[in-house]
Amino acid sequence: MVAAGAAVGCVSAAQASPRKLNVAIFSKHLRFLQGDDLAQCAAEIGFDGIDLTVRPGGHVEPARVAEDLPRLVKTIRARGLEVPMITSGIVDAETPHAENVLHAISELGINHYRWGGFKYDDHTPIPDQLAALKPRVAKLAALNTRYQTGAMFHTHSGVGLVGAPIWDLYILLKDFDPRAVGVNYDIAHATIEGGLGGWIDSFRVIGSHLQGVAVKDCTWEKDAAGKWQSQFVPLGQGMTKLPQFFQMLAATPFRGPLQLHFEYPLGGAENGNMKLTIPKEQVFTAMKRDLLELRTRLHEAGLG
């Protein structure tokens, strides 16, 4: 815990070296585009890279990763963009095609991928469940070390999800090399789980296991039945404290990958739909707006 504190939150922003964080778009939100159209669009909007979905229903199907991923990555790089990571469907080393995916990204020089999907049951103490998960994490970590890739557990919000409170990921991962298994910290989901101070402590506790950051914004609203629900909103319009978060991020050695997500209503793009219910130009305008907001906040923190 002392080491974690030293890694995050106990170093002043002035001490951290100036750096620019590149911004990748989560390709789920451009599922209606393929191949060079995907690459050209991401470049024209202004992104530095693409976080590719390599999972069932994604831009690349895991069963065809050896054939399709190199071709798509080459297309994206030809547009001057990077592929700093992929979002996979990998839960553990036993996930179908997991090793094929890791072999493919390793060959392409992609060092990070998003993983996750563990859930709690209601009948076993949580510490016991975390202890039972460690052998599965150990097998995945060994596989990652073999292929020189790093798995980043994505933090969601919700009941019964491992990683939602984030402190549980510290317990789960603390004994493993963070280069093999780390955390993809989603600031909006962390805010939903701990909006006052919980997100600050959860960010600090993951310490050196911080390997990726996902950015979006959120708020709480009442639904038609009067029940409070978390909602995602355009960047800068919610309760996510982006200026404070990026100042904290600037005080760490973090250099990416950083991803921008669009989970608010956007004609189906928020869900990764193949067909949109609004003109795609409207989607692109919203993406440009959020990207500008993100770059402004990064620049203010000395990260852009």
Side-chain angles (χ1 to χ4, degrees):
M1 292 293 289
V2 173
V8 179
C10 294
V11 181
S12 71
Q15 291 175 290
S17 59
R19 61 195 184 275
K20 176 184 182 294
L21 293 182
N22 289 340
V23 182
I25 182 172
F26 182 23
S27 81
K28 163 187 168 180
H29 306 304
L30 294 175
R31 186 68 181 89
F32 54 93
L33 297 174
Q34 303 294 319
D36 189 56
D37 289 339
L38 167 67
Q40 179 181 356
C41 176
E44 289 180 349
I45 291 173
F47 287 99
D48 303 300
I50 300 177
D51 162 21
L52 277 176
T53 50
V54 182
R55 60 187 184 183
H59 275 98
V60 175
E61 290 289 336
R64 289 191 51 84
V65 66
E67 298 84 4
D68 294 345
L69 185 61
R71 185 182 307 115
L72 182 52
V73 169
K74 181 179 180 180
T75 298
I76 291 169
R77 288 173 174 169
R79 287 284 181 179
L81 301 179
E82 59 181 24
V83 183
M85 63 176 287
I86 66 162
T87 289
S88 75
I90 294 174
V91 177
D92 57 26
E94 307 303 320
T95 300
H97 311 292
E99 188 163 357
N100 290 340
V101 170
L102 299 190
H103 179 266
I105 65 175
S106 178
E107 289 290 305
L108 293 165
I110 300 170
N111 303 121
H112 298 90
Y113 71 94
R114 203 175 101 182
W115 71 302
F118 293 147
K119 296 181 180 180
Y120 293 116
D121 67 57
D122 296 330
H123 311 293
T124 308
I126 285 179
D128 293 346
Q129 293 186 61
L130 292 173
L133 286 173
K134 287 191 176 185
R136 295 169 69 182
V137 175
K139 288 182 67 175
L140 185 62
L143 197 60
N144 289 333
T145 299
R146 176 181 173 187
Y147 288 105
Q148 297 185 326
T149 57
M152 308 183 301
F153 198 103
H154 189 77
T155 62
H156 286 96
S157 57
V159 178
L161 300 180
V162 174
I166 302 178
W167 54 259
D168 54 350
L169 290 179
Y170 169 75
I171 295 172
L172 183 62
L173 302 178
K174 65 184 178 66
D175 297 323
F176 298 103
D177 186 343
R179 294 171 296 182
V181 282
V183 173
N184 195 50
Y185 186 89
D186 187 307
I187 179 57
H189 282 298
T191 299
I192 291 169
E193 287 287 334
L196 184 60
W199 71 270
I200 298 173
D201 294 334
S202 70
F203 181 75
R204 294 183 64 195
V205 77
I206 58 172
S208 63
H209 279 77
L210 175 69
Q211 296 297 312
V213 168
V215 179
K216 50 183 175 275
D217 209 345
C218 61
T219 188
W220 288 92
E221 296 178 0
K222 285 186 177 180
D223 61 18
K227 183 179 179 180
W228 286 100
Q229 302 280 0
S230 59
Q231 303 288 338
F232 295 111
V233 296
L235 207 64
Q237 297 183 21
M239 62 185 186
T240 304
K241 297 179 180 179
L242 293 176
Q244 182 181 359
F245 172 67
F246 287 130
Q247 287 292 338
M248 292 171 62
L249 190 64
T252 76
F254 180 78
R255 293 185 179 275
L258 183 144
Q259 321 106 52
L260 181 57
H261 292 207
F262 303 88
E263 303 287 353
Y264 54 87
L266 206 54
E270 72 277 14
N271 297 320
N273 292 356
M274 294 287 288
K275 294 184 178 180
L276 301 177
T277 59
I278 61 176
K280 61 183 180 181
E281 290 75 17
Q282 188 173 334
V283 174
F284 301 153
T285 297
M287 290 179 171
K288 289 178 181 178
R289 177 195 61 217
D290 281 16
L291 180 57
L292 176 60
E293 175 71 17
L294 175 54
R295 291 201 188 281
T296 299
R297 298 303 183 185
L298 289 172
H299 178 75
E300 291 172 348
L303 295 171

